[in-house]
Amino acid sequence: MPDYLDDLRLAHVLADAADAATMARFKALDLKVETKPDMTPVSEADRAAEELIRGQLQRARPRDAILGEEYGVEGTGPRRWVIDPIDGTKNYVRGVPVWATLISLMEAGEGGFQPVVGVVSAPALGRRWWAAQGYGAFSGRSLSAATRLHVSRVSKLADASFAYSSLSGWEEQGRLDGFLDLTREVWRTRAYGDFWPYMMVAEGAVDLCAEPELSLWDMAATSIVVTEAGGSFTGLDGRPGPHSGNAAASNGLLHDELLGYLNGRY
């Protein structure tokens, strides 16, 4: 099995640099925010963090390709770094601390590119999570001060905690009835949003989460953290990995039921 620990160490260095840049502008009164063509916000901090990460990658891994939310794809080859400089920009620009920089390395393989390294860094929460293929998933302050992550063992929906982001996307896709039926079956629901539910699934604090519409950079890093913690991460179509334009994550024991409700089979 390939050793991805050097790439993981580099991802931590990239996250450190991004954390410094994003925290320096968090809650800044003169923060510049624009609306992109897809009507989502982008701040100067999003662009600055991605530029910083790209610059460091071009020096440290010049042969690797880079895909980022703000500046698209650059380069070709079997290795591609995937970056979301600020996942949760709407929170960031309002001063809500639930946002993170997502950094993943994907490698070409069967079924296309697959995540092999992922780092999720949420500096305003003082939290960081990471994983590498075959290495496991961890959370902590650094590689040397970390706790291994494991998903929960909850096996009944009636005992499960389900996290989501919002209701509007489910309604737009005609999946709202199944979504609401699921919320009635579980023990608890909370709308934490963005990267955080996936990390809580990996930690075993939440048992299920799902989102109806996402991009690859939203999912590449979170998916490997969930799976290396022993969980399941698929699209709503059941396809493993971050390739379906939406996501369902669980401790694995409840995954079939999660997909069943969200696809209207119950």
Side-chain angles (χ1 to χ4, degrees):
M1 180 177 293
D3 183 350
Y4 295 107
L5 291 184
D6 282 346
D7 295 307
L8 179 60
R9 293 186 191 98
L10 173 60
H12 275 273
V13 171
L14 300 174
D16 288 343
D19 286 355
T22 52
M23 286 300 290
R25 299 298 290 153
F26 185 48
K27 296 187 179 181
L29 296 179
D30 61 343
L31 182 72
K32 295 178 182 178
V33 182
E34 301 173 13
T35 300
K36 294 191 287 189
D38 65 359
M39 302 309 292
T40 60
V42 58
S43 75
E44 62 182 86
D46 291 80
R47 293 190 172 116
E50 183 167 326
E51 289 171 352
L52 185 64
I53 293 169
R54 283 176 177 270
Q56 292 201 17
L57 281 172
Q58 287 161 355
R59 291 188 292 273
R61 297 288 189 275
R63 296 183 179 179
D64 293 352
I66 305 171
L67 170 65
E69 179 176 10
E70 306 307 333
Y71 295 104
V73 65
E74 181 180 357
T76 60
R79 288 165 49 100
R80 177 183 292 176
W81 293 86
V82 179
I83 306 157
D84 188 344
I86 300 179
D87 181 55
T89 298
K90 291 177 182 178
N91 283 345
Y92 183 88
V93 301
R94 288 296 302 272
V96 178
V98 183
W99 50 271
T101 295
L102 313 183
I103 300 169
S104 178
L105 172 63
M106 302 183 75
E107 282 198 345
E110 293 185 15
F113 282 87
Q114 302 298 333
V116 294
V117 167
V119 171
V120 176
S121 190
L125 294 176
R127 300 293 310 278
R128 185 178 291 186
W129 303 261
W130 62 89
Q133 187 180 81
Y135 175 66
F138 297 84
S139 178
R141 295 285 182 179
S142 66
L143 281 166
S144 59
T147 300
R148 186 156 191 164
L149 303 180
H150 298 280
V151 295
S152 76
R153 299 182 183 276
V154 172
S155 59
K156 295 180 180 178
L157 282 180
D159 299 325
S161 180
F162 171 51
Y164 61 98
S165 286
S166 68
L167 297 179
S168 58
W170 301 105
E171 187 171 28
E172 290 165 5
Q173 292 192 6
R175 299 178 188 266
L176 184 59
D177 288 344
F179 174 89
L180 292 175
D181 287 343
L182 175 60
T183 67
R184 296 181 184 109
E185 293 297 320
V186 297
W187 166 65
R188 193 170 193 249
T189 62
R190 284 293 183 272
Y192 301 106
D194 300 304
F195 68 94
W196 207 6
Y198 303 97
M199 298 303 93
M200 286 192 279
V201 167
E203 292 177 339
V206 165
D207 311 298
L208 311 161
C209 69
E211 287 183 271
E213 187 174 4
L214 293 169
S215 298
L216 178 61
W217 46 75
D218 298 313
M219 299 183 281
T222 59
S223 64
I224 189 169
V225 174
V226 169
T227 55
E228 284 291 323
S232 296
F233 190 108
T234 71
L236 298 177
D237 57 5
R239 181 184 178 189
H243 302 290
S244 300
N246 45 50
S250 76
N251 62 5
L253 300 174
L254 299 167
H255 207 76
D256 289 344
E257 289 177 279
L258 172 63
L259 295 178
Y261 275 97
L262 296 179
N263 287 298
R265 295 198 295 265
Y266 286 94

